[in-house]
Amino acid sequence: VSKAEIDLSSIPLGESITIKWRGKPVFIRHRTEQEIQVSETTPMSELVDPQQDSERVQVPEWLIVVGVCTHLGCVPIKDAGDYGAYYCPCHGSHYDYSGRIRKGPAPLNLEVPKYNIDGNTVVIG
Ligand code: FES
C-alpha cells in the first residue's frame, strides 16, 4: 500500500507514535504548546541543516517525519536526547521537536514525507 491513513484524534497531546509506511517507520508527534514554541523560535544559526519549523510542518500541532536517522539509517528513539524529541543510539544523533538534527554525526534533518491533514485524519503518501 502506498498510502497510510491515521486518525489523529487517537494520539494524546505530547505523545509520539510510530506507524509503518512503505516499510519505513514514520513518527507522528502531537506537539505541546511548549514544543511548538521552542521549535518556532530556534535561531537558524544553531542548526546543522537550517530549516524553519514552518517549512517542516503543515499544522503546528503535528510533526510528521520519517523515523530513519540520516546518518546510517537506524531508528531513533522517542522522548530522548539533549533536545527531548528523538535520539539515535547507534552513534549519538540528537533531533529536536521539529525533527531537525542538532548534535551528532547525522548530516540532515529527519525527512518529511508527503502528507495531507484533513480534520482529524492524516493521509501519508
Ligand atoms: Fe543514527 Fe548513526 S545511524 S547516529
Side-chain angles (χ1 to χ4, degrees):
V1 185
S2 62
K3 288 180 191 282
E5 187 174 314
I6 296 98
D7 175 14
L8 294 173
S9 66
S10 66
I11 307 171
L13 186 65
E15 277 202 23
S16 177
I17 68 155
T18 304
I19 61 129
K20 264 269 159 83
W21 173 66
R22 294 182 185 166
K24 293 182 201 168
V26 170
F27 300 149
I28 304 177
R29 176 178 286 271
H30 192 176
R31 300 194 302 183
T32 64
E33 274 302 320
Q34 195 194 351
E35 291 169 3
I36 293 167
Q37 212 216 330
V38 75
S39 298
E40 290 180 342
T41 57
T42 304
M44 291 297 100
S45 60
E46 290 183 8
L47 298 176
V48 176
D49 177 14
Q51 268 190 320
Q52 298 283 354
D53 187 59
S54 59
E55 299 172 60
R56 299 181 48 79
V57 299
Q58 285 177 21
V59 176
E61 284 73 17
W62 298 103
L63 174 70
I64 300 176
V65 288
V66 176
V68 174
C69 181
T70 63
H71 181 224
L72 292 172
C74 289
V75 178
I77 53 177
K78 66 177 179 179
D79 303 329
D82 289 1
Y83 296 85
Y86 301 99
Y87 173 68
C88 182
C90 288
H91 317 94
S93 287
H94 302 248
Y95 295 91
D96 68 14
Y97 289 110
S98 193
R100 297 173 298 203
I101 182 65
R102 301 298 295 271
K103 184 176 165 187
L108 298 171
N109 301 332
L110 295 178
E111 181 192 347
V112 178
K114 184 170 174 284
Y115 68 88
N116 188 55
I117 293 176
D118 185 9
N120 279 329
T121 302
V122 60
V123 177
I124 299 172

